[in-house]
Amino acid sequence: MRLRVKYSKTGRMAFLGHLEMLRFWQRALRRAGLPVAMSHGFNPHPRLAFGPALALGIESLAEYLDVELAADWEPDRVREELQAQLPPGLAILLVQVIPAGAPALTAVIDTAAYRVSWLAAVDSGLLQQRVGSLLARTEVPVSRPGKDGRPRVKDIRPGVLELALDPPPDLAMLLQCSPAGSIRPEEVLQALDWEVPGRITRTGLFARRGDEFLAPEELNS
């Protein structure tokens, strides 16, 4: 059976990288006694699949992990046994059975929502003005390192789907997040020329269906 696990990653856990999280979850699943299915071949490994990677230091309220089990377990039991193996900062929010042929998370997720809350006083009027100016532009070039380490110019404007003070002075972003290209919240702050230190939280991952944005758990309901 295939299960989709939704979890939050906060506090010190935000500083664990993607590969560290993979090893962390593998150990937690083993300690929980879950019958995780293994791949075939000379080097079998647990059948796990994560959603889009999260940048180091960013907290999240909506991360996803698909896991395949070799035997049927009730989702409530999986949640209870697995949560008991997780440290503070990792909280399971949902365990859902998904069809065996359901597309992978990275194949369906194409949008990410972020919220930036500020660690110092903010002039909401000035921030609103800069948000409006950015949204009025047809191109928003930013510099990002290329695969060879050299800086490259990227136009992020097509990938900024929504940007608003919601609620003020917090900044809410809805950004492209797909294999075709992802926009980072730090790049939006760079484009705003906004240097007030902030705390970035990923608040959701979605699959766009026309004008709707569906969370992964809504795709199989």
Side-chain angles (χ1 to χ4, degrees):
M1 70 184 300
R2 283 183 69 192
L3 298 174
R4 180 154 293 169
V5 179
K6 180 181 182 181
Y7 63 97
S8 61
K9 181 184 178 190
T10 58
R12 296 175 60 183
M13 291 295 105
F15 295 94
L16 286 184
H18 189 67
L19 292 178
E20 293 171 296
M21 285 295 294
L22 172 60
R23 290 192 287 268
F24 197 93
W25 276 102
Q26 288 176 339
R27 288 196 296 269
L29 288 161
R30 186 170 60 250
R31 290 170 181 164
L34 269 68
V36 179
M38 304 294 289
S39 64
H40 301 293
F42 292 106
N43 184 27
H45 54 273
R47 290 187 176 275
L48 308 177
F50 289 85
L54 184 66
L56 203 64
I58 294 181
E59 296 182 308
S60 177
L61 304 179
E63 294 300 289
Y64 292 89
L65 164 68
D66 285 353
V67 55
E68 184 175 334
L69 300 184
D72 289 351
W73 276 41
E74 288 296 324
D76 287 346
R77 182 185 175 194
V78 172
R79 178 174 180 169
E80 181 179 343
E81 298 288 347
L82 194 51
Q83 184 64 65
Q85 303 302 323
L86 299 176
L90 288 179
I92 297 177
L93 308 174
L94 175 73
V95 178
Q96 175 192 53
V97 178
I98 61 174
L105 287 162
T106 52
V108 295
I109 292 172
D110 56 16
T111 307
Y114 295 91
R115 183 182 65 245
V116 186
S117 53
W118 309 106
L119 303 178
V122 166
D123 183 338
S124 295
L126 178 60
L127 180 56
Q128 179 63 65
Q129 184 180 36
R130 294 194 184 183
V131 167
S133 296
L134 186 148
L135 293 176
R137 295 160 61 183
T138 57
E139 294 184 355
V140 180
V142 300
S143 177
R144 65 165 56 170
K147 292 182 179 178
D148 58 1
R150 298 179 181 178
R152 295 284 188 273
V153 175
K154 167 76 174 178
D155 177 18
I156 66 169
R157 182 62 188 91
V160 180
L161 307 178
E162 293 181 11
L163 184 63
L165 275 64
D166 183 23
D170 286 3
L171 187 60
M173 307 179 186
L174 196 60
L175 307 177
Q176 180 184 1
C177 175
S178 72
S182 295
I183 307 302
R184 305 163 189 157
E186 302 97 318
E187 292 176 326
V188 177
L189 296 177
Q190 175 190 340
L192 290 170
D193 192 22
W194 197 258
E195 297 182 351
V196 176
R199 176 182 178 184
I200 302 174
T201 303
R202 186 148 78 180
T203 57
L205 290 170
F206 302 98
R208 191 171 187 174
R209 297 290 184 270
D211 294 332
E212 288 189 289
F213 294 92
L214 302 178
E217 62 267 31
E218 297 176 301
L219 296 173
N220 302 297
S221 61

